[in-house]
Amino acid sequence: ALPSHVVTEPRGFATTCIVPSRLVGAIIGRGGAGIQEVQASTNTRIVVREIAGDAANHTMTIAGPLLNVCSAYMLMMKRYMDAEKLCDRDGS
């Protein structure tokens, strides 16, 4: 188990990962609904941004309480893997 001072840390935590630009639309969902759903269910903030000079990739940053960030990351990675399967199937 995590020490309680880590779980209750008021400053919060953030993690950033790289996602392929071709999957961003499917990851965030129509009108951002996918991200909004994950943010609401995990009490986190998720931001997807372009990377200057790298049209092939975007950054995705998830911020909030530690356990919430971990939960949101897992949910967003599920969306990532689902989007990847869909693109592979459709040949995109």
Side-chain angles (χ1 to χ4, degrees), residues 2-92:
L2 292 171
S4 63
H5 70 279
V6 172
V7 175
T8 60
E9 172 59 52
R11 292 176 295 180
F13 294 83
T15 189
T16 300
C17 63
I18 305 295
V19 294
S21 297
R22 67 185 180 89
L23 301 180
V24 167
I27 291 169
I28 65 173
R30 186 177 303 262
I35 281 182
Q36 292 169 9
E37 179 183 331
V38 173
Q39 288 180 136
S41 68
T42 60
N43 190 32
T44 57
R45 175 86 174 117
I46 302 171
V47 178
V48 176
R49 290 197 172 107
E50 293 179 355
I51 301 172
D54 185 359
N57 294 296
H58 281 61
T59 61
M60 179 173 65
T61 301
I62 304 170
L66 178 60
L67 296 179
N68 302 48
V69 168
C70 293
S71 295
Y73 180 79
M74 289 186 285
L75 291 169
M76 292 307 293
M77 288 302 100
K78 180 188 181 313
R79 293 187 64 81
Y80 175 99
M81 291 186 297
D82 291 347
E84 199 169 47
K85 283 182 193 173
L86 183 62
C87 284
D88 289 347
R89 186 189 75 208
D90 294 344
S92 316

